[in-house]
Each structure stands twice: as C-alpha cells, then as structure tokens.
Amino acid sequence: MADSELPLVVGIGGTIGGVSSTERALRIALDAACQQGFRTRMFGGADMARLPLYDPKATTRTPEEREFVETVRQASALIIASPGYHGSISGVVKNALDLLEETARDAARPYLADMPVGLIATAYGWQATGSTIAALRSIVHALRGWPTPFAAAINSQIVKFDEEGGASDPAVVEQLMLVGRQVARFAPLAATAATP
Ligand SMILES: Cc1cc2nc3c(=O)[nH]c(=O)nc-3n(C[C@H](O)[C@H](O)[C@H](O)COP(=O)(O)O)c2cc1C
C-alpha cells in the first residue's frame, strides 16, 4: 500500500512561541501510531497559531481553517495534546477544537463520532495534568468521540524532552507510545463506523 493510502492519525497540540514539550510529547505518540501502520499529520503550535479565532457565523473560512477541518475529516483517529493553562486546556488548543463545529452537519461523520481519541496533558506540576485530561475527555465526549483508556499526564517540571524523540524518563516515552498504540488499535473500528 502506498504511504498516501495508509489510514490517517491526526495530532492536534502543542504551544506557540518556540520549543514545546507538549508538541514533542505528541510527536512520540504519533510516531508510535506510525509504527502500527498509520500515516500521521500534526497540527502543532505554529499551525494552530495561524487559525483565526473561531467565528461560528463566518461565511468564509481561511485556507488554514479549511485544511484543518478537511484533514480531521479524513482521519481515522486523533491524538490531542494540551498544556495545562490555569488548570485546564489552553486557548490555542480549544480554538482549534472549536473549529470542528464545522463538521456538525457532516452526513458521514458529524464531529468525531466513533473516533478513538488519544489524550496527552503537560503541566508544570501534577495538579493541572489531571484537570486538563478531565477537560479533554469532556470535550471529546461532547464531540461524540471515544477517549482511549490511557491518557498520558506529564509533569514538565521533572521530565525533559529532546529533539530526537526521547525524554529524560523512559517511562514517559513508553506512556506516550501506549497512547499511540491504543489509538491505532481502535482506529480500524472507527473507519467502519464512519462509513454511512
Ligand atoms: C498561561 C499559562 C498558564 C499555566 N498554567 C499552569 C497551571 O495551572 N498549572 C501548571 O502546573 N502549569 C501551568 N503552566 C505551565 C505549563 O502547563 C507547562 O509549562 C507546560 O508543560 C507548557 O508546555 P510547553 O512546554 O509545550 O510550552 C502554565 C503556563 C502558562 C504559559
């Protein structure tokens, strides 16, 4: 099978303004899905920063907005990674997720219906990791998706990521890979469910 025909896992996450531990964590999880036979596409901090604030009443969409929505429409699974900002998900990640409202009236698959969605949260301490994962799970449920069982909660105060896809704690790498593998495990069911 050509690479372009492989089922797609889309990653949404990271922060803007430079090196992002959240984005590096997401990349590890996406690479694990890739090892299971998926192609991946990441919308990181720089991509999300190009999305305008979501206006539900807008009559046109920017090329970046259209590309984001179309790519999610093609996905068999998602992985969402957010930093904990003041105890919940960041505005940048939430703005990207708000844009998925554009799929509300899709006949084949409204929102994230029946899609597995892996979740990752980073925070500078443990407390916001838990509340951010809980917020992400609520959002995925609202979008009719299926949060996969294991979510990775990462304390960026004690774990450091490198450019090569590693981290100072190998257990964290293993947890992120588990997120990618669980998403890959259930993605084939999602593809079937999304078929009208
Ligand atoms: C606006 C803002 C709010 C934050 N709020 C929290 C918080 O409530 N709890 C916490 O543990 N860390 C908080 N942090 C720290 C980030 O969650 C943490 O550094 C995260 O790992 C950043 O991800 P990045 O490396 O991808 O930028 C906050 C950081 C910013 C910039």
Side-chain angles (χ1 to χ4, degrees):
M1 188 187 280
D3 276 4
S4 60
E5 292 170 24
L6 292 172
L8 176 67
V9 177
V10 170
I12 302 169
T15 57
I16 60 178
V19 173
S20 165
S21 56
T22 315
E23 206 168 295
R24 286 183 171 179
L26 175 58
R27 173 47 62 200
I28 293 170
L30 286 172
D31 285 349
C34 193
Q35 286 166 17
Q36 301 297 312
F38 289 78
R39 69 193 161 98
T40 63
R41 169 71 204 275
M42 176 152 85
F43 289 92
D47 301 293
M48 291 187 292
R50 282 191 281 274
L51 297 172
L53 283 179
Y54 178 60
D55 174 359
K57 298 192 184 71
T59 51
T60 58
R61 295 287 161 203
T62 66
E64 290 80 12
E65 285 180 307
R66 284 202 300 272
E67 187 194 7
F68 179 79
V69 172
E70 282 311 316
T71 306
V72 172
R73 281 187 175 124
Q74 289 161 25
S76 298
L78 294 188
I79 302 177
I80 304 172
S82 178
Y85 275 10
H86 306 154
S88 191
I89 79 166
S90 69
V92 168
V93 173
K94 186 62 168 65
N95 185 54
L97 297 177
D98 287 351
L99 184 52
L100 297 179
E101 186 61 23
E102 294 305 294
T103 66
R105 275 164 288 282
D106 286 5
R109 186 178 63 196
Y111 298 114
L112 307 179
D114 302 320
M115 272 172 110
V117 183
L119 301 174
I120 299 165
T122 69
Y124 207 69
W126 287 115
Q127 186 166 288
T129 60
S131 52
T132 301
I133 292 288
L136 285 170
R137 283 195 177 123
S138 292
I139 292 166
V140 172
H141 282 151
L143 294 172
R144 308 181 198 175
W146 296 61
T148 48
F150 181 80
I154 295 161
N155 185 338
S156 59
Q157 191 178 19
I158 47 182
V159 178
K160 301 299 167 197
F161 293 91
D162 59 42
E163 282 178 45
E164 287 78 40
S168 54
D169 183 351
V172 168
V173 175
E174 188 47 45
Q175 288 162 11
L176 291 164
M177 291 176 69
L178 179 58
V179 171
R181 286 199 302 270
Q182 287 194 342
V183 149
R185 169 95 172 78
F186 288 96
L189 298 175
T192 306
T195 307

